[in-house]
C-alpha cells in the first residue's frame, strides 16, 4: 500500500491553522487578548499625554506604555489563552478524543503553542502599529534584533507556563480565574500599567524582579527606552525568563492530563454531558 | 484440525491471559479471546465488569499487568505511533470543538490519517447528511454521538472499537445506531464493541464474551448463549422466610439448580414436570402456600443476569 502517514511538520502546520481558526471563532477570547490591552493604551495616552524627560525633551506617554502593553498582549496570547483553552478542551473531552487518533501528542501541543505565538505576533504588531502610527512612538531599527529575541524567549516561556497552568487547573471552569488571578497582579508589579518606582515598598520591586513578566517587559522595552544609550541587549533578563519557561515545561511534562477530571461533567459547556446520562460507574 | 477460515487470515486481535489490577482490585482477570477479520465481537457485562479497562488496554491507552495482546499485529503497549492509524476508536465522554462545523471537524480529524474516507460518504453513513455545515454545538445529543462514530471511521480503519455506543439513547436512536453498525459490518470493518445491553449484543454481534468482575463467564455466538438456556425452564414462587431452614431436603431432591433469596424460590431445571411435581407435593404435604407460583421460560435478560450474578436494575436499564 502506498498509504503513508502525513509528515509531522505538515500536521503541525495544520494544527496551528486549526487552533487559530478556533480562536477566531471565540469573540470573547479575541476581545480580552487583543482589544483589551489596546483599550489601555488609548486610555493611558489620553490621560497622560506627553511627558517630559531629561534634557527638556517631551515624549508621548505611549512611548512607555505601548511596549509594556505589547508584552502584556503576548503574555495573554500565550499564558492566559493556552492555559484556559487547553483546560476547557480537556474538560470537554477533546483532548481525550485527540489521544485516540494517530496524531502525535507533541504535535497537538505544538499546535497549541504555535497558535499562541501567532496570536502574540499579531497582537504585538497591532499594538506597535497603533503606538507608532498614532502616538509617534519612536522605534530604533538598530534595536530591532534585541526586541525580537526578547519576544521569542518571552512568548516561548509564557507558552510553557500556559501549558503548566492547564496542567494544574482542576477544571476548565476554574482556569480563567486562575489565569487572571496570576497574570493581573503580576502585571501590576511588572511595570505594565504603572511604573513601580523607588517610592513604594521595596518588596513590590523584589516580587516583580523574581516573577517572569517584568523581565519580559524590561528586556523588550530596552529597545524603546528613550533614556537608554548603547546596547539594548539584556542577557540576564532573558536567562531569568528562560528559566521560568523551563520550570513551566517541567511542570507541564509531569502533571499534564489528557483525561477530564472525574465527575467534572458540569464544565462551562455542560450541555455536552447530556448524552451521557444513564452512565454511572465507569467500567 | 485447522479450519480453512482460520488459515486464510490471521486474527485482527488476540488476547491471552490478560490481567490488570488497581490496587487490590482485579479489574481484569485472566481474559483470553480473539477477533477474526470482518467479525463483530462484543464484550458484554454490567458496569464495572472490566469492559472499558480491557478496551483501553487494546487501544494502547492503559498498561496491563499480565498476559499478551496483539492488535493488527502489534502489541499496543509498545506499538509505534502509527499504530492508531489503522484503528478507529469511539470512546465514551468525548467532545468535539463547538466552534467547528461538522464538515470542518471531519476534515480536521481526518487530516491525521494516512487513508481517509470521503467526508460526504461518512456523513451519509452515520446519517448526518445535510448537516455538514452546522456548528457542532447546535446538534442534538444523538447527532453528537453520530459525529463520534463519523470521526471513528473517517480514517477508514481496519478495526473499530465502539465503547458502549448506545448508552443513554432512547429506543429509536438505538435502532438507528444499530443500523449504522450493521452498515459498517457490511463494508467489512472488524468491530469490537462493549455493551451492557443483552439485546444490543444479540442484534449486532457475531460472537460474545460475557464478563463479570473482570472474568469471562460465558462465550459464544448469541444463538449459543440462547441455546444454553433454551433447555431450561424457571419455576418460581414466594416462599415463607421462616421455612428456609426446612427446605434443604426439598431443594436437594430437585433435578434443577435452585436458589432461595429474599423469600423467593427460583428453580432452573431441564425437567420441569418432575420438579414441579416434587415441589407442589412437598408443599401440599406441609400445608405451605406457594404464592405467585409460576413456570416460565427465562428471557435472555434472565440468563445474562444469572451469568453475571447481578441484581435486576444493574446493567439492565435498557
Amino acid at each position: 500500500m502506498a498509504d503513508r502517514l502525513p509528515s509531522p511538520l505538515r500536521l503541525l502546520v495544520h494544527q496551528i491553522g486549526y487552533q487559530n481558526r478556533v480562536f477566531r471563532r471565540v469573540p470573547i477570547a479575541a476581545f480580552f487578548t487583543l482589544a483589551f490591552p489596546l483599550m489601555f493604551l488609548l486610555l493611558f495616552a489620553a490621560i497622560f499625554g506627553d511627558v517630559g524627560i531629561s534634557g527638556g525633551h517631551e515624549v508621548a506617554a505611549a512611548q512607555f506604555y505601548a511596549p509594556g502593553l505589547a508584552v502584556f498582549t503576548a503574555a495573554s496570547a500565550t499564558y492566559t489563552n493556552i492555559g484556559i483553552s487547553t483546560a476547557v478542551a480537556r474538560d470537554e473531552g477533546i483532548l481525550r478524543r485527540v489521544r485516540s487518533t494517530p496524531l502525535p501528542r507533541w504535535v497537538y501541543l505544538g499546535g497549541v503553542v504555535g497558535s499562541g505565538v501567532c496570536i502574540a505576533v499579531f497582537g504585538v504588531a497591532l499594538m506597535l502599529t497603533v503606538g507608532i502610527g498614532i502616538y509617534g512612538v519612536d522605534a530604533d531599527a538598530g534595536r530591532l534584533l534585541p526586541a525580537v529575541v526578547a519576544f521569542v524567549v518571552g512568548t516561548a516561556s509564557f507558552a510553557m507556563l500556559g501549558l503548566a497552568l492547564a496542567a494544574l487547573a482542576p477544571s476548565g471552569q476554574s482556569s480563567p480565574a486562575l489565569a487572571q488571578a496570576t497574570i493581573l497582579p503580576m502585571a501590576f508589579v511588572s511595570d505594565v500599567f504603572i511604573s513601580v518606582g523607588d517610592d513604594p515598598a521595596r518588596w513590590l520591586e523584589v516580587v516583580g524582579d523574581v516573577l517572569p513578566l517584568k523581565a519580559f517587559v524590561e528586556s523588550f522595552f530596552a529597545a524603546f527606552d528613550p533614556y537608554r544609550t548603547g546596547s539594548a541587549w539584556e542577557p540576564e533578563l532573558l536567562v531569568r525568563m528562560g528559566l521560568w519557561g523551563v520550570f513551566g515545561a517541567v511542570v507541564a511534562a509531569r502533571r499534564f492530563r489528557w483525561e477530564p477530571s472525574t465527575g467534572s461533567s458540569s464544565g462551562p459547556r455542560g450541555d455536552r454531558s447530556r448524552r451521557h446520562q444513564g452512565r454511572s460507574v465507569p467500567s | 484440525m485447522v479450519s480453512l477460515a482460520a488459515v486464510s487470515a490471521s486474527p485482527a486481535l488476540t488476547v491471552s491471559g490478560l490481567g490488570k489490577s488497581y490496587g487490590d482490585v482485579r479489574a481484569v482477570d485472566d481474559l483470553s479471546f480473539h477477533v477474526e477479520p470482518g467479525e463483530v465481537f462484543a464484550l458484554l457485562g454490567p458496569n464495572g465488569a472490566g469492559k472499558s479497562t480491557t478496551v483501553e488496554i487494546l487501544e494502547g491507552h492503559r498498561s496491563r499487568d499480565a498476559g499478551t495482546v496483539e492488535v493488527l499485529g502489534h502489541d499496543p503497549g509498545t506499538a509505534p505511533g502509527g499504530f492508531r492509524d489503522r484503528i478507529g476508536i469511539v470512546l465514551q465522554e468525548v467532545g468535539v470543538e463547538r466552534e467547528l462545523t461538522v464538515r470542518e471537524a471531519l476534515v480536521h480529524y481526518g487530516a491525521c490519517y494516512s487513508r481517509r474516507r470521503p467526508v460526504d460518504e461518512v456523513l451519509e453513513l452515520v446519517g448526518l447528511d445535510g448537516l455538514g455545515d452546522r456548528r457542532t454545538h447546535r446538534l442534538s445529543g444523538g447527532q453528537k454521538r453520530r459525529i463520534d462514530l463519523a470521526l471513528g471511521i473517517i480514517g477508514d480503519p481496519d478495526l473499530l472499537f465502539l465503547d458502549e455506543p448506545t448508552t443513554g439513547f432512547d429506543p429509536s436512536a438505538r435502532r438507528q445506531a444499530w443500523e449504522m453498525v450493521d452498515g459498517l459490518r457490511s463494508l467489512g470493518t472488524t468491530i469490537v464493541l462493549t455493551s451492557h445491553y443483552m439485546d444490543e449484543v444479540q442484534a449486532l454481534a457475531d460472537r460474545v464474551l460475557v464478563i463479570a468482575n473482570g472474568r469471562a463467564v460465558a462465550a459464544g455466538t448469541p444463538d449459543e448463549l440462547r441455546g444454553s438456556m433454551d433447555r431450561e425452564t424457571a419455576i418460581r414462587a414466594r416462599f415463607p422466610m421462616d421455612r428456609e431452614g426446612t427446605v434443604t431436603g426439598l431443594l436437594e431432591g430437585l433435578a434443577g439448580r435452585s436458589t432461595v433469596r429474599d423469600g423467593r424460590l427460583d428453580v432452573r431445571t431441564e425437567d420441569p414436570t418432575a420438579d414441579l411435581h416434587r415441589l407442589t407435593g412437598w408443599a401440599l404435604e406441609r400445608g405451605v402456600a406457594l404464592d405467585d407460583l409460576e413456570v416460565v421460560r427465562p428471557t435472555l435478560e434472565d440468563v445474562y443476569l444469572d451469568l453475571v450474578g447481578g441484581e435486576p436494575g444493574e446493567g439492565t436499564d435498557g
Side-chain angles (χ1 to χ4, degrees):
Chain A
M1 266 187 304
D3 302 325
R4 289 189 50 195
L5 279 173
S7 79
L9 189 67
R10 224 181 100 188
L11 284 175
L12 183 63
V13 171
H14 174 86
Q15 286 290 322
I16 293 172
Y18 139 81
Q19 293 285 358
N20 285 343
R21 178 186 295 180
V22 169
F23 176 81
R24 282 202 307 272
R25 291 187 185 173
V26 186
I28 191 83
F31 174 79
F32 274 105
T33 308
L34 300 173
F36 202 55
L38 212 53
M39 240 166 58
F40 273 102
L41 180 66
L42 304 183
L43 280 174
F44 288 144
I47 294 168
F48 299 111
D50 293 340
V51 289
I53 59 169
S54 57
H57 299 310
E58 283 217 329
V59 297
Q63 181 75 34
F64 299 95
Y65 280 115
L69 286 167
V71 165
F72 182 70
T73 307
S76 299
T78 48
Y79 174 75
T80 314
N81 174 41
I82 289 174
I84 296 173
S85 65
T86 308
V88 168
R90 177 178 57 222
D91 266 17
E92 296 191 335
I94 290 166
L95 299 191
R96 186 175 160 86
R97 184 192 298 287
V98 167
R99 221 177 60 132
S100 74
T101 70
L103 186 73
R105 296 179 196 189
W106 72 265
V107 174
Y108 179 82
L109 294 178
V112 169
V113 169
S115 164
V117 172
C118 283
I119 297 161
V121 168
F122 182 76
V124 167
L126 187 66
M127 182 68 70
L128 294 181
T129 303
V130 171
I132 295 168
I134 299 182
Y135 299 108
V137 169
D138 190 24
D140 179 355
R143 291 172 166 182
L144 186 64
L145 189 61
V148 169
V149 170
F151 172 82
V152 169
V153 176
T155 48
S157 299
F158 274 86
M160 291 305 121
L161 290 169
L163 289 180
L165 172 69
L168 296 178
S171 69
Q173 211 166 14
S174 63
S175 61
L178 274 175
Q180 300 304 346
T182 43
I183 192 79
L184 281 180
M186 189 152 58
F188 273 99
V189 298
S190 302
D191 298 351
V192 171
F193 304 124
I194 45 167
S195 178
V196 179
D198 307 326
D199 306 337
R202 164 118 180 107
W203 66 269
L204 280 177
E205 206 184 327
V206 173
V207 169
D209 284 340
V210 170
L211 295 173
L213 187 58
K214 193 170 171 184
F216 195 176
V217 170
E218 285 186 348
S219 59
F220 188 76
F221 176 66
F224 299 87
D225 189 351
Y227 295 109
R228 193 179 181 105
T229 53
S231 161
W233 290 100
E234 290 280 4
E236 194 197 319
L237 297 177
L238 296 180
V239 168
R240 198 193 298 165
M241 265 193 302
L243 287 177
W244 273 99
V246 171
F247 168 74
V250 169
V251 169
R254 295 173 71 106
R255 297 289 299 277
F256 197 84
R257 292 164 288 131
W258 295 78
E259 296 289 312
S261 32
T262 42
S264 74
S265 55
S266 57
R269 296 158 191 180
D271 58 328
R272 288 242 169 91
S273 63
R274 225 184 313 151
R275 68 191 135 122
H276 305 304
Q277 282 174 2
R279 178 175 178 275
S280 47
V281 187
S283 56
Chain B
M1 294 297 289
V2 184
S3 77
L4 272 175
V7 184
S8 62
S10 53
L13 188 158
T14 315
V15 174
S16 167
L18 182 65
K20 173 74 183 176
S21 295
Y22 300 113
D24 292 339
V25 183
R26 283 204 71 66
V28 177
D29 195 359
D30 197 23
L31 277 190
S32 298
F33 59 93
H34 66 99
V35 180
E36 298 294 337
E39 182 175 48
V40 177
F41 184 88
L43 286 168
L44 174 68
N47 287 332
K51 303 186 298 290
S52 288
T53 299
T54 302
V55 168
E56 282 171 11
I57 292 170
L58 300 182
E59 294 160 354
H61 282 153
R62 211 172 271 285
S63 65
R64 61 181 188 265
D65 302 336
T68 56
V69 177
E70 205 177 276
V71 179
L72 299 177
H74 290 284
D75 177 343
T78 58
F83 160 70
R84 287 206 184 86
D85 186 48
R86 302 295 356 114
I87 66 176
I89 301 178
V90 179
L91 294 163
Q92 299 183 68
E93 305 200 343
V94 284
V96 64
E97 293 77 353
R98 57 188 278 123
E99 296 83 7
L100 299 182
T101 66
V102 174
R103 184 179 299 278
E104 284 172 336
L106 285 169
V107 170
H108 168 61
Y109 281 98
C112 54
Y113 293 91
S114 65
R115 296 200 302 234
R116 277 176 292 278
R117 275 208 172 99
V119 168
D120 286 314
E121 181 190 310
V122 172
L123 287 176
E124 199 182 320
L125 247 167
V126 303
L128 283 176
D129 32 343
L131 294 176
D133 296 324
R134 186 168 289 190
R135 291 276 177 97
T136 63
H137 69 99
R138 293 189 52 231
L139 297 179
S140 71
Q143 288 168 336
K144 281 178 182 161
R145 198 65 182 138
R146 285 159 190 253
I147 292 200
D148 292 343
L149 188 60
L151 292 173
I153 62 174
I154 186 72
D156 193 15
D158 296 327
L159 175 61
L160 178 66
F161 290 100
L162 297 175
D163 198 3
E164 310 215 350
T166 65
T167 296
F169 277 26
D170 63 44
S172 81
R174 290 182 70 208
R175 295 249 164 244
Q176 288 169 358
W178 292 357
E179 279 165 23
M180 281 187 265
V181 174
D182 243 3
L184 288 175
R185 178 220 306 270
S186 58
L187 292 174
T189 312
T190 311
I191 298 172
V192 174
L193 73 93
T194 71
S195 181
H196 54 226
Y197 299 122
M198 184 76 199
D199 56 343
E200 178 160 293
V201 165
Q202 204 190 5
L204 294 179
D206 298 314
R207 284 192 306 125
V208 189
L209 182 72
V210 184
I211 61 178
N213 299 317
R215 301 190 66 94
V217 292
T221 66
D223 280 348
E224 282 166 357
L225 288 186
R226 175 187 278 284
S228 73
M229 56 124 157
D230 255 9
R231 296 190 297 271
E232 290 194 337
T233 298
I235 302 171
R236 295 178 184 139
R238 194 172 295 284
F239 225 76
M241 291 297 282
D242 56 338
R243 299 272 175 183
E244 280 186 35
T246 69
V247 298
T248 318
L250 162 72
L251 300 184
E252 281 168 0
L254 297 176
R257 296 169 290 120
S258 47
T259 52
V260 180
R261 195 198 288 172
D262 302 333
R264 285 193 66 83
L265 172 71
D266 189 334
V267 181
R268 298 294 168 85
T269 177
E270 292 181 29
D271 190 358
T273 317
D275 276 350
L276 189 62
H277 182 74
R278 290 187 191 108
L279 182 64
T280 49
W282 176 89
L284 283 173
E285 213 169 89
R286 285 164 181 74
V288 176
L290 293 174
D291 292 334
D292 299 342
L293 177 65
E294 57 177 359
V295 180
V296 293
R297 297 285 297 281
T299 62
L300 263 177
E301 212 62 57
D302 290 329
V303 177
Y304 168 55
L305 287 176
D306 265 7
L307 286 171
V308 301
E311 288 108 53
E314 186 188 46
T316 57
D317 41 290

